Amino acid sequence: MKRLLVALGLIIASVCSATTPAAADQTIGFPTFSGPAVPAPPVAYTTGDMMRSIYDAESSGTDFWMDRLLARTGNDPAGSWLMSRGRAVFMKTHDPAVLGFGGHVAYWESISDKNAYSIAISPGTFTEQVSQRKQMPSHWKSVHTSGSITVDQTKFITDNNVAVTNLSIKNNGSSSTTLQLRATSPYATSGTGSELTGQVNAYNNLTTIRPRLTGDGFTANSGGLNRSVTIAAGATVTAKVVMGFITDEIPDSLTEYNAYAGYSNATAFATHVKAYNLWWAQNVPYIDVPEPAIKKNIYYRWWLMRFNSLDANIPGQTFQFPSSTEGVLGYNNAIALTQPMHIDDLKYLRNPMYAYGDWLNVGQVSKGARFLDNPGDPENWSNSYTQYIAEAAWKSYQIHGGQPAIAGNLAHYAEGDVKGQLAYYDHDNNKLIEYDWGALTGNDADAVSFHWKPGNMDRAESAYQYSGAMAAAQAYDAIGNTAKAAEMRTLANQIKDAIVNVLWNPSRQLFEHRLKSTNEWVPWKEINNYYPFSVGAVPNTSTYKQALRLFNDPAQYPVFPFYTANQVDKKAAADAGNPGSNNFSTINSTVQFRLYSSVLRNYSNSWMTATDYKKLLYWNTWAQYVGGNTQWPDANEFWADWNGSGIDYRSWIHHNILGSSNWTVIEDVAGLRPRNDAKVEVSPINIGWDHFTVNNLRYRNADLSIVWDDPADGVARYPGVPEGYSIFINGNRVATVSTLTPFTWDPATGEVTTSGTVTYHTAVPGLQAPNQVVQNSPRLVDMFAKAGVDLTADSTNLASGATVSASYTGSGSNVSGAVDGYPTNEPFWGAGGSPNSQDWYELNFGTTRTLNEVRLHFKDSRPASATYRAPSAYTIQYYNGSSWVDAPGQTKTPAAPQANYNVVRFPSLSAQRIRVLATNASGAKTGLTEVKVYNRSGGPGARPPMKDVHH
């Protein structure tokens, strides 16, 4: 019998060898890190809110754990970039030699490549002592000397865009000296007393900034602020200069400027540093893992998300929602390609405004169709079919939840994207994207398949249309629209079938792009060929899983470097004269993480292992650090020229957030799986760690923590936490299993479903499914109102179904576009080309209606054109049977018309016909992306006025 088994084994082996090429296991080991130790938190672990406990322990002073953890001292090999920034203001470049804010100041983007302001001290030539420099995320400290004078500078930018410089000037000489201080800014040059003012447009004219510059004891003179100080021998004097970048849409910018102008140096510094570090406590989950380099990188990437976030609240259709950008120190564009990667991490910030802002932005500017890059930056405005925004957005909703109307907008955007991508790229209607140019994949010259033969190809990236359709279906389920959910599932299955039927090459047992002109499968591949596995669009059979064998061979798909192209194919392309480039970056590790995350759970095989995943996790972290030194994290746009032990080239864009990775620790190592119901599911990928915790995630209406402490090692890692694999709700343990194994906990019953051994479980009533959650923070109410969703009430929109007409309808617009239910940038009604100084838009309800509120979303076409702007004035009128009259007692918020969202309230009136009568702005015409009409219970004044609210 034994001999027969051996013989059968030889036969099987020979058959397999005919179809499966010989492959080597991933041979790279694990990286080594150098650098300082990660500072320990100032408090013991708590199952409650660890980040808040850390903050509270230090809140009486100005020295905070996150600042210490990410501090950078001396000459930084990543460059002298300023880490401190505001909602919209940051230093695009930074010149540390200049006292004040030298370099190129940006308001969302560089204004005009000039300093914010500089402070000159005379006489003398002041030189920065670079070795004494110390930068923390919240502030910068430097020392500048000239002769016997030493200047200690501390500077920072507050959340609401106020740039503050504290100077401490010491006379180390033996006699008294008098110094002249002069502060100047190219943006504030006129004024009297102690203040200079100015006005400048932000880049692309997206908004108007009214800078204000002041200083303690300074006097305006000749376009600058002057102060004379006399310092006795051995004495020190202080000075403070404050510049506010004031905009109408952020009223707190003026409030904060006035406050900081009035503070002492010490109060200004303490107020800012405490506020800056409180944000971490309010938004970031505490994460602890055994490898210090990975732990620090997690917090570095939380900082990256904050640093690369724009929250300018600019009215209109560009940056009206919080938005992540590819990298503020580089292209600084909110490109569709990377938005889902950002959302994957942003959804684990406790405030949902950051994740929701990303998909609201792209949904609102994409015309109800395929997702496009943000038009606020048309120089970098392109498009991409290689994005999974709808999938990532749905996961963010699974984590945070909210009223069904939130899911309704998401469903609408997702459906528009999937159908729009297919309409634009699927020329033969076979449900697969066709394309012929590598740059649009987002990997530029790294995508090898396009160089095999020219022409359109059916592409494996069509998998993202599958996941988008599935996201739309689930979002429609959440709002109870079963017909739409079924429609989108049917479309998803058609895409899935097309991937399998068209792209599977049975002779090579691989999913391959397919050349349209000849119907050939394209033998040159990227990791893109495996996107169908990442989204579950491949049947889980041994046949299709054969495609995964290439990941067993580092000569084809190495764990590191995580290249785009299959390396055998890359060499074939180079040999054929198409070498392209072979860069790698976090964008590549992100898609590789996604592949492993899906495959290790859903496509079990002998070629891809948890050890590979662990290597990917460690090498992804290693690449973030210059030379593997944890003192210097620097997420460049990309890296190149791997020499076998180091990276020879790091790109010119620094502290970039092109890609994501914190979700990997939360979802894969700790195992949290987003769900559509009220249950909590964990399914960890066991990489051999003996402990970890993810503490105080915001999970719907509760706080969720996950803790693993291996009972087998005999060490209790977390005080007060029993050993095993546990989840906590609101600080209280609700379930524990004895080993690191998947389980699902039902809060209603306390029951745990698992193959492991349950050692503890209990019920917690009141936990909610995503669509049962009520989001009512002022900021989210404001954000969704701008997107046409009222989170405060569920009233009937009387404009729906109304007959509409207008005084004039310009080319490219139509009257029905303003009553389709969504204030997206298109479709819209607009009076472009009208000869009138005033234009009107009318709604006829068909019968008499009672109403007391109208919501108007005015079209703003900047920066693409000047055609449409909010009107200079408008009024709501109703037809009284013989003439049009103004609705009495109108209260408008805001008082002056602004782009996009405006609310008009008035005492209830009855009418069949109403209209908006608008006085066109100078040089522009009026347009409306949406009009909504309501009869609110309680009448006018029952609802809070709209305002900018920032958390």
Side-chain angles (χ1 to χ4, degrees):
M1 177 63 75
K2 183 176 181 181
R3 187 176 300 161
L4 178 59
L5 289 174
V6 171
L8 286 171
L10 291 172
I11 293 170
I12 293 168
S14 66
V15 171
C16 289
S17 66
T19 58
T20 307
D25 289 337
Q26 293 287 349
T27 52
I28 197 167
F30 289 88
T32 57
F33 298 93
S34 61
V38 172
V43 294
Y45 183 77
T46 173
T47 59
D49 186 343
M50 182 66 179
M51 289 300 287
R52 185 68 198 225
S53 296
I54 291 172
Y55 175 82
D56 287 345
E58 300 178 327
S59 60
S60 62
T62 57
D63 182 20
F64 288 91
W65 182 70
M66 280 290 286
D67 273 343
R68 296 193 302 276
L69 177 67
L70 297 177
R72 307 173 81 98
T73 58
N75 191 18
D76 189 336
S80 56
W81 312 102
L82 186 67
M83 297 175 78
S84 178
R85 70 158 292 161
R87 293 173 59 172
V89 171
F90 65 97
M91 297 305 295
K92 182 81 175 190
T93 67
H94 178 230
D95 183 357
V98 175
L99 289 170
F101 289 83
H104 299 162
V105 68
Y107 190 99
W108 96 260
E109 181 55 284
S110 181
I111 300 172
S112 58
D113 293 348
K114 297 176 182 177
N115 297 341
Y117 63 86
S118 60
I119 305 169
I121 301 177
S122 59
T125 300
F126 285 83
T127 303
E128 188 206 356
Q129 305 304 306
V130 176
S131 64
Q132 297 183 61
R133 180 188 301 167
K134 186 169 186 179
Q135 177 170 208
M136 297 182 175
S138 67
H139 65 278
W140 168 285
K141 289 187 174 183
S142 57
V143 177
H144 305 251
T145 60
S146 177
S148 61
I149 304 299
T150 298
V151 179
D152 287 335
Q153 174 183 235
T154 301
K155 63 185 178 183
F156 50 85
I157 303 174
T158 73
D159 189 50
N160 286 298
N161 306 319
V162 182
V164 180
T165 303
N166 285 343
L167 299 180
S168 180
I169 308 170
K170 184 176 182 180
N171 179 4
N172 300 298
S174 57
S175 60
S176 176
T177 187
T178 297
L179 299 173
Q180 306 302 321
L181 280 58
R182 180 167 171 84
T184 55
S185 170
Y187 304 114
T189 57
S190 62
T192 59
S194 63
E195 185 179 59
L196 295 172
T197 62
Q199 180 172 312
V200 64
N201 284 342
Y203 186 64
N204 284 338
N205 300 320
L206 293 191
T207 191
T208 300
I209 311 161
R210 297 177 180 85
R212 298 173 70 161
L213 181 71
T214 189
D216 298 346
F218 285 78
T219 302
N221 181 267
S222 302
L225 295 175
N226 292 349
R227 178 182 172 185
S228 178
V229 294
T230 299
I231 313 172
T236 300
V237 299
T238 62
K240 175 168 57 69
V241 177
V242 177
M243 184 171 188
F245 291 78
I246 314 302
T247 58
D248 292 343
E249 58 270 16
I250 304 181
D252 282 347
S253 59
L254 179 56
T255 304
E256 207 156 272
Y257 165 75
N258 287 328
Y260 277 85
Y263 291 149
S264 68
N265 284 32
T267 299
F269 177 67
T271 301
H272 165 72
V273 171
K274 290 177 182 180
Y276 183 93
N277 282 279
L278 178 60
W279 189 93
W280 302 122
Q282 292 171 332
N283 285 284
V284 169
Y286 175 79
I287 297 178
D288 179 55
V289 299
E291 172 50 63
I294 292 177
K295 180 171 181 174
K296 180 172 181 176
N297 185 55
I298 289 166
Y299 292 97
Y300 169 66
R301 294 201 68 87
W302 290 138
W303 172 77
L304 282 182
M305 282 173 244
R306 187 175 182 180
F307 183 67
N308 289 284
S309 176
L310 174 69
D311 186 20
N313 196 39
I314 295 173
Q317 295 285 5
T318 53
F319 295 114
Q320 58 184 329
F321 306 108
S323 178
S324 66
T325 54
E326 178 188 335
V328 295
L329 300 178
Y331 300 120
N332 191 24
N333 53 333
I335 58 171
L337 173 74
T338 55
Q339 292 299 290
M341 300 180 179
H342 300 170
I343 293 169
D344 277 344
D345 276 354
L346 290 169
K347 70 177 182 287
Y348 290 116
L349 294 178
R350 289 174 52 81
N351 191 329
M353 65 180 252
Y354 299 102
Y356 285 9
D358 268 20
W359 58 259
L360 280 172
N361 252 328
V362 76
Q364 285 296 112
V365 302
S366 297
K367 310 175 185 179
R370 64 191 179 98
F371 290 152
L372 298 172
D373 295 356
N374 192 295
D377 189 4
E379 296 89 336
N380 292 310
W381 188 14
S382 181
N383 55 81
S384 179
Y385 59 82
T386 315
Q387 49 79 15
Y388 50 96
I389 292 172
E391 174 195 336
W394 177 247
K395 287 180 180 176
S396 75
Y397 183 77
Q398 288 176 309
I399 293 298
H400 288 287
Q403 292 88 321
I406 294 176
N409 266 39
L410 175 50
H412 176 74
Y413 303 147
E415 177 183 0
D417 177 53
V418 175
K419 291 182 176 178
Q421 298 284 4
L422 292 174
Y424 195 80
Y425 293 112
D426 178 20
H427 306 295
D428 61 357
N429 197 34
N430 72 343
K431 306 305 179 191
L432 296 176
I433 294 297
E434 300 162 30
Y435 209 68
D436 66 347
W437 182 48
L440 195 56
T441 65
N443 302 120
D444 300 330
D446 303 313
V448 67
S449 60
F450 293 103
H451 302 294
W452 183 61
K453 290 181 182 179
N456 268 342
M457 301 172 183
D458 276 333
R459 300 290 301 180
E461 295 94 343
S462 303
Y464 289 158
Q465 277 65 62
Y466 167 81
S467 70
M470 290 299 295
Q474 294 176 84
Y476 278 124
D477 280 334
I479 64 174
N481 192 335
T482 55
K484 272 290 184 185
E487 176 191 343
M488 295 310 296
R489 277 195 175 84
T490 297
L491 179 54
N493 286 327
Q494 290 172 339
I495 297 167
K496 181 177 181 178
D497 290 344
I499 290 169
V500 172
N501 294 333
V502 177
L503 301 182
W504 178 252
N505 182 342
S507 66
R508 281 193 288 264
Q509 294 184 300
L510 294 168
F511 286 100
E512 296 178 335
H513 313 303
R514 202 159 182 176
L515 193 65
K516 300 300 295 185
S517 59
T518 64
N519 211 31
E520 294 171 280
W521 282 289
V522 180
W524 293 353
K525 301 170 292 299
E526 301 90 20
I527 195 171
N528 305 38
N529 290 62
Y530 289 84
Y531 289 176
F533 284 100
S534 301
V535 301
V538 177
N540 183 18
T541 69
S542 58
T543 298
Y544 297 118
K545 287 193 291 188
Q546 278 289 322
L548 300 171
R549 70 191 184 276
L550 301 191
F551 283 85
N552 197 44
D553 184 355
Q556 305 237 19
Y557 286 106
V559 165
F560 183 80
F562 20 75
Y563 295 116
T564 297
N566 177 289
Q567 293 300 285
V568 170
D569 299 334
K570 193 70 176 176
K571 183 179 185 304
D575 290 346
N578 290 296
S581 58
N582 212 20
N583 304 326
F584 55 99
S585 77
T586 310
I587 194 176
N588 304 107
S589 63
T590 301
V591 297
Q592 195 143 315
F593 275 126
R594 281 170 52 82
L595 177 63
Y596 274 93
S597 179
S598 175
V599 166
L600 293 178
R601 290 187 179 90
N602 306 315
Y603 300 97
S604 60
N605 67 87
S606 61
W607 304 297
M608 299 173 73
T609 69
T611 299
D612 298 335
Y613 188 102
K614 184 176 183 179
K615 290 177 180 178
L616 179 61
L617 188 68
Y618 276 68
W619 281 105
N620 178 66
T621 297
W622 183 88
Q624 312 291 320
Y625 294 114
V626 178
N629 185 336
T630 59
Q631 176 65 38
W632 309 117
D634 185 17
N636 301 88
E637 181 195 12
F638 66 88
W639 307 291
D641 302 332
W642 167 249
N643 62 27
S645 61
I647 295 170
D648 287 337
Y649 178 75
R650 305 178 74 93
S651 82
W652 63 274
I653 302 178
H654 300 266
H655 301 306
N656 188 278
I657 193 170
L658 184 66
S660 61
S661 62
N662 281 2
W663 64 270
T664 66
V665 177
I666 297 168
E667 295 180 25
D668 289 340
V669 178
L672 180 64
R673 311 306 295 156
R675 291 177 65 98
N676 296 339
D677 58 20
K679 296 178 181 179
V680 177
E681 178 184 353
V682 285
S683 177
I685 294 173
N686 190 341
I687 62 171
W689 279 352
D690 54 19
H691 70 280
F692 56 72
T693 184
V694 175
N695 172 278
N696 215 47
L697 292 168
R698 192 64 182 165
Y699 189 72
R700 291 82 177 264
N701 65 336
D703 295 325
L704 170 68
S705 297
I706 305 170
V707 183
W708 162 241
D709 188 357
D710 191 350
D713 67 2
V715 179
R717 304 282 181 177
Y718 301 106
V721 178
E723 292 182 309
Y725 186 36
S726 303
I727 55 176
F728 293 75
I729 297 293
N730 299 329
N732 301 309
R733 184 166 61 122
V734 297
T736 302
V737 297
S738 60
T739 53
L740 192 59
T741 191
F743 71 87
T744 301
W745 169 73
D746 186 341
T749 64
E751 293 303 311
V752 173
T753 304
T754 181
S755 61
T757 301
V758 180
T759 58
Y760 182 82
H761 64 103
T762 188
V764 176
L767 295 193
Q768 297 170 326
N771 63 351
Q772 296 172 322
V773 173
V774 173
Q775 298 286 0
N776 57 12
S777 72
R779 190 65 198 279
L780 278 187
V781 168
D782 176 62
M783 283 170 53
F784 278 95
K786 292 170 183 169
V789 174
D790 185 1
L791 297 183
T792 68
D794 187 18
S795 304
T796 299
N797 175 20
L798 304 179
S800 179
T803 300
V804 288
S805 57
S807 57
Y808 189 94
T809 299
S811 174
S813 77
N814 59 78
V815 289
S816 62
V819 288
D820 68 343
Y822 300 92
T824 51
N825 56 343
E826 293 181 23
F828 72 104
W829 164 78
S834 166
N836 309 319
S837 61
Q838 289 186 314
D839 281 288
W840 52 259
Y841 181 85
E842 179 187 339
L843 299 93
N844 187 330
F845 306 122
T847 187
T848 300
R849 300 286 193 189
T850 301
L851 59 143
N852 54 28
E853 179 178 304
V854 178
R855 297 190 172 198
L856 304 169
H857 296 261
F858 288 119
K859 173 80 169 177
D860 192 310
S861 57
R862 66 184 147 187
S865 75
T867 303
Y868 290 107
R869 293 288 185 273
S872 60
Y874 70 90
T875 187
I876 302 299
Q877 297 185 319
Y878 70 99
Y879 194 69
N880 67 4
S882 59
S883 61
W884 289 98
V885 294
D886 290 352
Q890 296 181 45
T891 301
K892 298 173 182 176
T893 308
Q898 73 173 9
N900 196 29
Y901 182 49
N902 299 257
V903 181
V904 189
R905 300 188 181 102
F906 41 84
S908 295
L909 60 84
S910 294
Q912 178 176 320
R913 299 165 63 192
I914 68 165
R915 71 179 186 179
V916 183
L917 179 64
T919 302
N920 294 315
S922 176
K925 296 300 177 182
T926 301
L928 287 162
T929 60
E930 193 66 21
V931 179
K932 296 198 174 190
V933 182
Y934 298 101
N935 179 32
R936 303 293 194 187
S937 60
R943 301 157 56 74
M946 177 178 61
K947 63 178 181 177
D948 173 63
V949 185
H950 183 56
H951 180 58

